[in-house]
């Protein structure tokens, strides 16, 4: 199996796993069309795009950690984390699909859902809530 075939299989498996873990609730919250479009974006990502979203994911967490050290969800570093997060979302949502309202709702979900909360709180306890608060400012 070539590297490209492995990469394509990896993306298919990831879509399947995401559907099993989150599909029902995400489809309820954002609609069938939005989730299908996101899955298509993921399936069509090049290796370079995948690597870019991985870099953004890492940079979001690093910037979030620094923002928490600064202490203010309204601060420049926190707002940079929010903008990085917007860039990351747009890689999956595609052109024209982003809205500040949907982005703010993502922040609410991150703080409320234990699975997402655990992901962000690995930065530091309270990181999911801090990101939510920063996104409320960023998206207003």
């Amino acid at each position: 199996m070539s590297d490209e075939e492995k990469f394509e299989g990896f993306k298919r498996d990831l879509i399947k796993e995401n559907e099993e873990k989150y599909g029902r609730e995400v489809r309820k919250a954002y609609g069938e069309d939005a989730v299908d479009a996101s899955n298509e974006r993921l399936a069509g990502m090049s290796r370079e795009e995948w690597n870019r979203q991985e870099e953004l994911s890492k940079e979001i967490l690093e910037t979030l950690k620094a923002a928490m050290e600064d202490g203010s969800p309204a601060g420049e570093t926190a707002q940079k984390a929010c903008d990085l997060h917007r860039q990351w979302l747009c890689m999956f949502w595609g052109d024209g699909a982003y809205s500040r309202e949907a982005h703010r709702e993502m922040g609410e979900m991150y703080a409320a859902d234990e699975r997402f909360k655990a992901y962000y709180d690995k930065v530091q306890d309270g990181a999911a809530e801090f990101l939510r608060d920063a996104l409320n400012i960023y998206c207003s």
Side-chain angles (χ1 to χ4, degrees), residues 23-43:
R24 199 166 109 200
E25 64 195 282
V26 173
R27 287 177 182 280
K28 182 179 177 186
Y30 298 101
E32 296 288 330
D33 292 342
V35 176
D36 289 344
S38 180
N39 286 341
E40 286 177 27
R41 294 268 308 168
L42 174 53

Side-chain angles (χ1 to χ4, degrees), residues 5-125:
E5 290 169 327
K6 290 177 187 174
F7 181 60
E8 292 302 315
F10 164 76
K11 292 186 295 182
R12 279 191 306 274
D13 290 347
L14 184 56
I15 291 168
K16 181 181 176 186
E17 179 182 331
N18 285 340
E19 281 289 340
E20 289 170 358
K21 283 184 179 177
Y22 311 111
R24 199 166 109 200
E25 64 195 282
V26 173
R27 287 177 182 280
K28 182 179 177 186
Y30 298 101
E32 296 288 330
D33 292 342
V35 176
D36 289 344
S38 180
N39 286 341
E40 286 177 27
R41 294 268 308 168
L42 174 53
M45 270 189 190
S46 68
R47 188 174 297 276
E48 292 77 22
E49 290 169 318
W50 178 260
N51 290 342
R52 175 66 183 138
Q53 73 80 28
E54 288 280 294
E55 290 168 10
L56 277 170
S57 293
K58 182 178 176 186
E59 191 174 358
I60 291 164
L61 295 179
E62 291 169 351
T63 306
L64 180 59
K65 181 176 175 67
M68 290 185 76
E69 290 169 4
D70 291 348
S72 173
E76 183 178 332
T77 308
Q79 294 304 295
K80 178 182 177 185
C82 293
D83 190 63
L84 291 167
H85 191 264
R86 179 197 55 78
Q87 292 174 49
W88 179 83
L89 281 177
C90 287
M91 293 191 74
F92 292 95
W93 288 3
D95 298 332
Y98 175 83
S99 75
R100 290 189 178 274
E101 180 181 337
H103 196 182
R104 184 177 24 252
E105 289 172 6
M106 294 292 292
E108 294 294 336
M109 181 178 65
Y110 293 162
D113 187 299
E114 290 302 317
R115 298 164 296 184
F116 292 108
K117 184 173 172 35
Y119 174 79
Y120 286 102
D121 282 1
K122 69 184 178 187
V123 167
Q124 180 178 323
D125 284 343

